[in-house]
Amino acid sequence: MNLLLTPFLVLTGLLTANAQTIMPVETRNTAMVLEVDQKRDCRIAYLGERLENKTEYQRISSAKELANDYSGVLNSVYTASGSRNLVEPAITVTHADGNNSLDLRYVSHDLKKLDENVSELRVHLKDPVYNFEVTLHYKSYYNEDVVEQWSVIRHHERGNVILHKYASANLVMKAESYWLRQYYGDWAKEMQAEETQLTHGIKTLDSKLGTRANLFQPSVFMVSMNKPASEDEGNVLYGALEYSGNFRIDLELDHLNNLRIIAGINNYASPYSLKAGEAFVTPAFLYTLSGKGKGEASRQLHRWARNYKLLNGNGDRLTLLNNWEATYFDFNENKLSELLKDTKKLGVDLFLLDDGWFANKYPRNDDRAGLGDWKENKTKLPNGISSLVKEAKNNGVKFGIWIEPEMVNPKSELYEKHPNWVVKQPVREEYYFRNQLVLDLANPTVQDFVYGVVDDLFTKNPELAYIKWDCNAVIYNAHSSYLKNQSHFYIEYMRGLYRVLERIRAKYPKVPMMLCSGGGGRVDYAALQYFTEYWPSDNTDPLERIFMQWEYSYFFPALSSTNHVTDWGKQPIKFRTDVAMMGKLGFDIVVSKLPENDLKFCQEAISNYNDLKSIIWHGDQFRLSHPKESSVASMLYLDERKAEGVLFNYLVNNRYGERSRLPVKLKGLDPKKKYRLTEINLYPGTTSTLSTDISYSGDFLMKIGFNPDVNSGRTSVILKISEVK
Ligand code: GLA
């Protein structure tokens, strides 16, 4: 970005008092206040609820506790190491002359209103001794209370500067105590939550996996201030790095009880050699703050994601039938032809052909061979994908396909022809994750190849309607035979991936794509700019999914969560379908083997889903009863007008006699409106135990509630809520 050409308003000394410059980053309810002192040190004076009167921001510093910070930069806006700093830095460098010190002082700032809702503040910092500068960017979304922060690092020294650490964001919070909610996981165990009080010192959330980076830990987290926030009460900050590669988030609680959050690309094995004049642009870190608990924060983030980040966030999605668990690798044209008919019979929009359709020399009949050879397998599909796309059309459904273009099996023609396209150490034994290796996306030729896999499919099949993009392996033996500087590898890989996705979206802006990574190994807001939805987990056991989808739902809106009805778990088809309806509904079952009533149930549920999907996709989500705190989980979706809603309830505890003892209190309704609750998704031959001829005021439903009568005979109950006029 050329600073001189952009129409930013340059401000040096706005709102000065006592020689301070005050720069508030404001949203409807929150403010981060940056201030500059006489020595041009730039600090974070405040992060919290917005003040009514802007002029009072300058008083915040003097109102705070007077304690000795020793360095004067404990709450620095971007903590530089090697000069006065005594804590975890946001940036560490070695200058061209070998010196390790950095001091960043305020030069100027500018503020631009990008539109009615979005503003961008840029703060320009410079080292007084070295020709080295950092520009901090704060993009604020007023109505959604979301801020994205990133940094642009540059220098004009004589030679390269080594960046040892290069954070996106450096936040400082002040509270009595801090409670961190973080996540860990593995395959089929994504989004396992832990919430603990932070003690003094540094807590690091990170990934060093390169690809499938969230397998063990995603970058999403929450910090509650003073006490753990509940759904509707308490101060809480949500944070996440918009990045699909290695990340690192340090939460440092210092001796004065400040919490510093330093978030960015993981500098693990990645010192970056920055040329003079080159701009190093970090990914964005996003945060939202709420003074009204976790629920409000999640709705803010959902609105932001739908309006600004997720591809086609306010649009529609396709329901589908997937063949992965129905056939695994074992299919042919005849089988698929039957599945296409089943897709129509079931009543969903699209058939999704999963793994196993490609490779000839080393056919893809299991996960040990063929990955990388993206030509239809002639035995399974003698007439190619194009005939399947046509046949789908004849059946009145759309057709989608699975690919995993970043990866290669050693047993493949691609590997034989291009061993130098593969990420591996030249003189070490290869080590595999799911029998495969990662292609070197740092190499532009490999980027062309990966782009070509997608482009080729669409060029040959313009009516192809959906892509499932998988990424099953992590990176072992990180090494690129293309790059000169290996410590740039992890960063260049991600740059390569985003370049490919940019090219795909430039040519195919709308086509829906599912972001899959052996489950939820890559769910982040950088990738979701290019994808319409993500696959939360290969674990589709509906009981597990209630918990997992619950945790994802704090950070990602329901229309981005693809939930498939499969044969995992012991629950009946109703329970499985009801749970899958809480996001973007799909199926991965053998339709032809469904008992008659199960099929009938599914068909009716899909029809109900079609009636309700716009509320689920575009409405607000309210968590009413938590699966970890109660035997019944309840989640409400409500449209913007507060006129229509859908309430999902599940029994999550199988112990004797467990049931919905108390009414579930609804939220978000208009107290003055009258509502009727009707049970839907009833299994054929069953009737509801609830009476539907009563209407209730919103006030009643929110203060007294409604008992969905969940018990061991009614483990899953869906209620449609309609305004009665
Ligand atoms: C991964 C995905 C699955 C499926 C298989 C195919 O495990 O998560 O949904 O697509 O790959 O090999």
Side-chain angles (χ1 to χ4, degrees), residues 187 212 322 324-325 329 354-356 364 367 402 404 434 468 470-472 514 516-520 535 537-538 588:
W187 178 78
R212 201 172 173 173
N322 187 195
W324 174 238
E325 292 187 18
F329 296 93
D354 215 284
D355 196 356
R364 181 74 172 167
D367 62 17
W402 177 98
E404 193 181 5
R434 206 197 189 204
K468 173 176 176 182
D470 213 337
C471 162
N472 277 296
M514 184 208 287
C516 176
S517 184
W535 181 233
S537 177
D538 279 358
D588 195 347

Coordinates of all heavy atoms in Angstrom, one line a residue, residues 187 212 322 324-325 329 354-356 364 367 402 404 434 468 470-472 514 516-520 535 537-538 588, ligand 1:
W187 N -8.3 -35.2 15.6 CA -9.3 -35.7 14.6 C -10.6 -36.2 15.3 O -10.4 -36.9 16.3 CB -8.7 -36.8 13.7 CG -9.7 -37.4 12.8 CD1 -10.1 -36.8 11.6 CD2 -10.5 -38.6 12.9 NE1 -11.1 -37.6 11.0 CE2 -11.3 -38.7 11.8 CE3 -10.6 -39.6 13.9 CZ2 -12.2 -39.7 11.6 CZ3 -11.5 -40.6 13.7 CH2 -12.3 -40.7 12.6
R212 N -3.4 -27.8 8.0 CA -4.3 -28.4 9.0 C -4.0 -27.8 10.4 O -3.9 -28.5 11.4 CB -4.2 -29.9 8.9 CG -5.4 -30.6 9.5 CD -5.4 -32.1 9.3 NE -6.5 -32.8 10.0 CZ -6.8 -34.1 9.9 NH1 -6.1 -34.8 9.1 NH2 -7.8 -34.6 10.6
N322 N -24.1 -36.5 0.4 CA -22.7 -36.8 0.2 C -22.5 -38.4 0.2 O -23.3 -39.0 0.8 CB -21.9 -36.2 1.3 CG -20.4 -36.2 1.3 OD1 -19.7 -36.0 2.2 ND2 -19.9 -36.5 0.1
W324 N -19.6 -40.0 0.9 CA -18.4 -40.5 1.6 C -18.7 -41.7 2.5 O -18.1 -42.8 2.3 CB -17.7 -39.4 2.4 CG -16.5 -39.8 3.2 CD1 -16.4 -39.6 4.5 CD2 -15.4 -40.5 2.7 NE1 -15.2 -40.2 4.9 CE2 -14.5 -40.7 3.8 CE3 -14.9 -40.9 1.4 CZ2 -13.3 -41.3 3.7 CZ3 -13.7 -41.6 1.4 CH2 -12.9 -41.8 2.5
E325 N -19.6 -41.5 3.4 CA -19.8 -42.7 4.4 C -20.7 -43.7 3.8 O -20.8 -44.8 4.3 CB -20.3 -42.1 5.7 CG -19.3 -41.3 6.4 CD -19.6 -40.9 7.8 OE1 -20.6 -41.5 8.4 OE2 -19.0 -40.0 8.3
F329 N -14.5 -45.5 -0.8 CA -13.9 -45.4 -2.1 C -14.5 -46.4 -3.1 O -14.1 -46.4 -4.3 CB -12.4 -45.8 -2.0 CG -11.6 -44.8 -1.2 CD1 -11.4 -45.0 0.2 CD2 -11.0 -43.7 -1.7 CE1 -10.7 -44.1 1.0 CE2 -10.3 -42.8 -1.0 CZ -10.1 -43.0 0.4
D354 N -17.5 -37.6 -3.2 CA -16.4 -37.4 -2.4 C -15.1 -38.1 -3.0 O -15.1 -38.4 -4.2 CB -16.7 -38.0 -1.0 CG -16.0 -37.2 0.1 OD1 -14.8 -37.3 0.3 OD2 -16.7 -36.4 0.8
D355 N -14.2 -38.3 -2.1 CA -12.9 -38.9 -2.5 C -13.0 -40.2 -3.3 O -13.9 -41.0 -3.0 CB -12.1 -39.2 -1.2 CG -10.7 -39.4 -1.3 OD1 -10.2 -39.4 -2.5 OD2 -10.0 -39.5 -0.3
G356 N -12.0 -40.5 -4.2 CA -12.0 -41.8 -4.8 C -12.3 -41.8 -6.3 O -12.3 -42.9 -6.9
R364 N -7.1 -44.4 -7.0 CA -7.5 -44.0 -5.7 C -8.6 -44.9 -5.1 O -9.8 -44.5 -5.0 CB -8.0 -42.5 -5.8 CG -8.3 -41.9 -4.5 CD -7.2 -41.5 -3.6 NE -7.6 -40.7 -2.5 CZ -6.8 -40.5 -1.4 NH1 -5.5 -40.9 -1.4 NH2 -7.2 -39.7 -0.4
D367 N -6.8 -44.6 0.8 CA -6.0 -43.3 1.0 C -4.5 -43.5 0.8 O -3.8 -42.6 1.1 CB -6.4 -42.6 2.3 CG -6.1 -43.5 3.5 OD1 -5.2 -44.4 3.4 OD2 -6.6 -43.2 4.6
W402 N -15.4 -33.5 -4.6 CA -14.3 -33.4 -3.5 C -13.0 -33.3 -4.2 O -12.7 -34.0 -5.2 CB -14.4 -34.7 -2.7 CG -13.3 -34.8 -1.6 CD1 -13.5 -34.5 -0.3 CD2 -12.0 -35.3 -1.7 NE1 -12.3 -34.8 0.4 CE2 -11.4 -35.3 -0.4 CE3 -11.2 -35.8 -2.8 CZ2 -10.1 -35.8 -0.2 CZ3 -9.9 -36.2 -2.6 CH2 -9.4 -36.2 -1.3
E404 N -8.6 -32.5 -3.1 CA -7.6 -32.2 -2.0 C -6.3 -31.7 -2.8 O -5.3 -32.4 -2.7 CB -7.3 -33.4 -1.2 CG -6.6 -33.0 0.1 CD -6.3 -34.2 1.0 OE1 -6.6 -35.4 0.6 OE2 -5.8 -34.0 2.1
R434 N -1.5 -39.5 7.1 CA -2.5 -40.2 6.3 C -1.9 -40.5 4.9 O -2.4 -40.3 3.9 CB -3.7 -39.2 6.1 CG -5.0 -40.0 5.8 CD -6.1 -39.2 5.1 NE -7.3 -39.9 5.1 CZ -8.3 -39.7 4.2 NH1 -8.2 -38.7 3.4 NH2 -9.4 -40.4 4.2
K468 N -15.8 -29.4 -2.5 CA -15.4 -29.7 -1.1 C -13.9 -29.7 -1.2 O -13.3 -30.6 -1.8 CB -16.0 -31.0 -0.6 CG -15.4 -31.4 0.7 CD -16.1 -32.7 1.2 CE -15.6 -33.3 2.5 NZ -16.2 -34.5 2.9
D470 N -10.5 -30.3 0.6 CA -9.9 -31.0 1.8 C -8.5 -30.7 2.0 O -7.8 -30.3 1.0 CB -10.2 -32.5 1.6 CG -10.5 -33.1 3.0 OD1 -10.1 -32.6 4.0 OD2 -11.1 -34.2 3.0
C471 N -8.0 -30.9 3.1 CA -6.5 -30.7 3.5 C -6.3 -31.6 4.6 O -6.5 -31.2 5.8 CB -6.3 -29.2 3.8 SG -4.8 -28.9 4.7
N472 N -5.8 -32.8 4.4 CA -5.8 -33.9 5.4 C -4.4 -34.0 6.1 O -4.4 -34.7 7.1 CB -6.1 -35.2 4.8 CG -7.6 -35.4 4.8 OD1 -8.3 -35.4 5.8 ND2 -8.2 -35.5 3.6
M514 N -16.8 -25.9 0.2 CA -16.7 -26.3 1.6 C -15.3 -26.4 2.0 O -14.4 -26.9 1.3 CB -17.4 -27.6 1.8 CG -17.4 -28.1 3.3 SD -17.4 -29.9 3.5 CE -19.0 -30.3 3.0
C516 N -12.7 -28.0 4.2 CA -12.6 -29.2 5.1 C -11.1 -29.4 5.3 O -10.3 -29.2 4.4 CB -13.3 -30.4 4.3 SG -13.1 -31.9 5.1
S517 N -10.8 -30.0 6.5 CA -9.4 -30.3 6.7 C -9.4 -31.5 7.6 O -9.2 -31.4 8.8 CB -8.7 -29.1 7.3 OG -7.3 -29.4 7.5
G518 N -9.8 -32.7 7.0 CA -9.9 -33.9 7.8 C -10.9 -33.7 8.9 O -10.7 -34.1 10.1
G519 N -11.9 -32.8 8.7 CA -12.8 -32.3 9.7 C -12.5 -30.8 9.9 O -12.2 -30.2 8.9
G520 N -12.4 -30.3 11.1 CA -12.2 -28.9 11.3 C -10.8 -28.4 11.5 O -10.6 -27.6 12.3
W535 N -16.4 -27.6 7.3 CA -16.8 -28.9 7.8 C -16.3 -29.0 9.3 O -15.1 -29.1 9.5 CB -16.2 -30.0 7.0 CG -16.5 -31.5 7.3 CD1 -15.6 -32.4 7.5 CD2 -17.8 -32.1 7.5 NE1 -16.2 -33.6 7.8 CE2 -17.6 -33.4 7.8 CE3 -19.1 -31.6 7.4 CZ2 -18.6 -34.3 8.0 CZ3 -20.1 -32.5 7.6 CH2 -19.9 -33.8 7.9
S537 N -16.3 -31.3 11.7 CA -15.6 -32.5 12.2 C -16.0 -33.7 11.4 O -17.2 -33.7 11.0 CB -15.9 -32.7 13.7 OG -15.3 -33.9 14.1
D538 N -15.2 -34.7 11.3 CA -15.6 -36.0 10.7 C -16.5 -36.7 11.8 O -17.2 -37.6 11.4 CB -14.5 -36.9 10.4 CG -13.9 -36.5 9.0 OD1 -14.4 -35.6 8.4 OD2 -12.9 -37.1 8.6
D588 N -25.4 -38.0 4.6 CA -24.3 -38.9 4.2 C -24.7 -40.3 4.6 O -24.1 -40.9 5.5 CB -23.0 -38.4 4.7 CG -21.8 -39.1 4.0 OD1 -22.1 -40.1 3.3 OD2 -20.6 -38.7 4.2
Ligands
GLA1 C1 -11.4 -36.3 5.1 C2 -12.7 -35.6 5.2 C3 -13.8 -36.5 5.0 C4 -13.7 -37.2 3.7 C5 -12.3 -37.9 3.6 C6 -12.1 -38.4 2.2 O1 -11.2 -37.2 6.2 O2 -12.8 -34.9 6.5 O3 -15.1 -35.9 5.1 O4 -13.8 -36.3 2.6 O5 -11.3 -37.0 3.9 O6 -10.8 -39.0 2.1

